[in-house]
């Protein structure tokens, strides 16, 4: 079963967004853009590099360049476990 986004964030994953600029297969002088986004672990970025390997092996348009950013959405100090709550009328 695939973990939820919240579970990934609590395990240290952050949102990685990559802009891939690639050459069109039939027109090598024409550049096009593809945006990829997934939860990944910094600083190794295993999912991003797996996707880049997939692109190079399976997709005909060769990559020109890749730019990416990474942001942790939940840091350890921002999450806390609440064990109870009360309602005030």
């Amino acid at each position: 079963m695939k973990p939820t986004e919240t579970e990934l964030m609590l395990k240290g994953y952050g949102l990685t967004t990559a802009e891939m600029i690639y050459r069109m297969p039939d027109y090598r002088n024409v550049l096009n853009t593809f945006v990829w986004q997934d939860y990944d672990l910094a600083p190794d970025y295993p999912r991003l590099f797996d996707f880049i390997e997939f692109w190079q092996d399976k997709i005909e348009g060769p990559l020109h360049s890749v730019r990416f950013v990474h942001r942790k959405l939940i840091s350890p100090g921002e999450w806390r476990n609440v064990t109870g709550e009360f309602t005030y009328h």
Side-chain angles (χ1 to χ4, degrees):
M1 186 161 76
K2 187 176 178 181
T4 65
E5 293 177 3
T6 305
E7 291 172 335
L8 288 174
M9 286 186 280
L10 291 174
K11 291 179 182 177
Y13 283 74
L15 191 61
T16 302
T17 304
E19 177 188 37
M20 293 161 186
I21 299 174
Y22 64 97
R23 298 187 183 278
M24 297 295 290
D26 297 337
Y27 304 98
R28 296 296 175 146
N29 293 330
V30 177
L31 295 175
N32 206 354
T33 303
F34 178 79
V35 177
W36 174 89
Q37 195 172 52
D38 200 357
Y39 288 95
D40 209 352
L41 281 171
D44 296 330
Y45 304 104
R47 290 185 178 182
L48 174 61
F49 290 125
D50 285 346
F51 183 77
I52 290 173
E53 287 179 22
F54 167 79
W55 184 291
Q56 292 174 335
D57 292 342
K58 305 291 184 189
I59 298 179
E60 293 181 18
L63 287 172
H64 174 270
S65 59
V66 177
R67 295 186 314 172
F68 68 95
V69 295
H70 178 82
R71 171 80 175 151
K72 276 189 152 183
L73 301 175
I74 295 178
S75 65
E78 293 177 356
W79 185 84
R80 61 190 174 104
N81 186 16
V82 177
T83 57
E85 84 178 65
F86 65 93
T87 305
Y88 180 73
H89 294 274

